[in-house]
Amino acid sequence: MSAAGAWAISESCACASAVGINGPDLARQAQVIHRNGPHVEAALPVRTIAAEPEPLAVDIGRMALVIIDMQRDFLEPGGFGAALGNDISRLKSAVGPCADVLAAARRAGILIIHTREGHRADLTDAPPIKVERGDPAMRIGALGPMGRILVRGEPGHDIIPELYPVAGEPVIDKPGKGAFYQTDLELMLKNRGIETLLVCGVTTEVCVNTTVREANDRGFRCVVLSDCCASYFPEFHDMGLKMIKAQGGIFGSVSASGAAIAALSAASS
């Protein structure tokens, strides 16, 4: 089949799905041109994910999993989060569901991106108002139990072993709370033709919420997995999710690991 013919079939399938002819759980059989190169590959199916404020029909082939800031400094004893007096067990509750979704995403073969918040060793990319917050002994760049706090390359800056990236999974090192700020995340997603983001990570009200808002402004649809996110403050977690799905999904949708795994597993079967 010619490239033009392949695109024509792909487009017709997409249009039919949009008006409900194919149904949300019917796999597309067309061959499509991969957006990253000239080779041809089979499209993944469209699946429905249970979510609030309403279920979503998503093209699994245009979906990516983004796992935000599951770093040792935030989640492990002796890290930055614990040093600030936070109960890290509240963040650890998200690790198991995240690991399950990550495994399902790997089986489905979708794009997986991890992020880490941190700064250059000389802190030239860290605004003074960020560095100067709090106790000087616990500030960004100070020496902590796992190396200098939130400095790239230090042990505490790295991702926890349970969710560690494998070869081929990009890691975005971000200097801010949002994953799009001063990074090439948007370019990576658009190069792959991604439309929908499954979002996991910590903390719900800070880096997750900031990233979802950035993504929404850039035209990406976000599905935040509630049990794959967490906060040191349970009320902030709850309110952060409510803000995302309010007013018909002003910033995105909220779902859970089980619904995402069901969609990914069906796509990979």
Side-chain angles (χ1 to χ4, degrees):
M1 179 183 295
S2 68
W7 276 114
I9 291 176
S10 175
E11 291 299 319
S12 66
C13 287
C15 292
S17 177
V19 298
I21 293 175
N22 286 347
D25 295 322
L26 181 62
R28 297 179 187 175
Q29 299 301 319
Q31 295 287 314
V32 296
I33 302 297
H34 192 283
R35 292 186 178 269
N36 258 2
H39 61 283
V40 178
E41 64 178 28
L44 290 173
V46 173
R47 298 294 183 195
T48 297
I49 297 179
E52 294 180 304
E54 59 185 7
L56 294 173
V58 298
D59 184 340
I60 302 296
R62 295 179 181 272
M63 186 167 68
L65 173 64
V66 180
I67 303 180
I68 297 174
D69 298 0
M70 297 296 278
Q71 296 164 248
R72 297 183 64 199
D73 248 337
F74 298 137
L75 286 106
E76 292 189 357
F80 183 38
L84 293 174
N86 294 306
D87 180 358
I88 61 170
S89 68
R90 291 175 175 159
L91 298 196
K92 294 287 281 187
S93 66
V95 174
C98 275
D100 293 340
V101 171
L102 178 58
R106 286 170 174 165
R107 289 192 298 268
I110 70 168
L111 176 64
I112 298 166
I113 295 177
H114 305 257
T115 78
R116 300 182 295 199
E117 182 180 356
H119 296 279
R120 296 165 54 97
D122 59 9
L123 302 185
T124 52
D125 62 344
I129 60 170
K130 184 177 183 181
V131 175
E132 294 167 3
R133 179 173 61 91
D135 184 343
M138 299 178 185
R139 289 177 180 171
I140 294 169
L143 186 62
M146 290 189 282
R148 294 179 66 204
I149 294 170
L150 291 187
V151 169
R152 295 174 186 174
E154 298 288 339
H157 175 258
D158 212 355
I159 294 168
I160 60 173
E162 298 95 319
L163 302 174
Y164 208 78
V166 300
E169 295 176 359
V171 178
I172 299 287
D173 280 323
K174 60 189 184 70
K177 297 169 180 66
F180 289 87
Y181 174 67
Q182 296 294 320
T183 75
D184 53 4
L185 176 58
E186 182 176 8
L187 177 63
M188 294 169 63
L189 295 173
K190 290 188 173 179
N191 283 346
R192 294 287 294 269
I194 299 299
E195 298 173 348
T196 302
L197 306 180
L198 289 179
V199 183
C200 307
V202 297
T203 61
T204 313
E205 77 279 11
V206 183
C207 294
V208 171
N209 239 272
T210 303
T211 297
V212 167
R213 293 175 187 226
E214 291 178 330
N216 180 266
D217 280 343
R218 289 163 173 80
F220 296 102
R221 177 166 55 179
C222 292
V223 183
V224 179
L225 304 182
S226 59
D227 55 338
C228 296
C229 300
S231 171
Y232 298 121
F233 309 98
E235 65 274 22
F236 291 176
H237 171 76
D238 294 340
M239 188 53 66
L241 296 175
K242 289 178 180 177
M243 293 170 71
I244 289 168
K245 65 183 179 181
Q247 302 180 70
I250 189 169
F251 297 122
S253 301
V254 175
S255 186
S257 60
I261 291 168
L264 290 168
S265 298
S268 60
S269 61

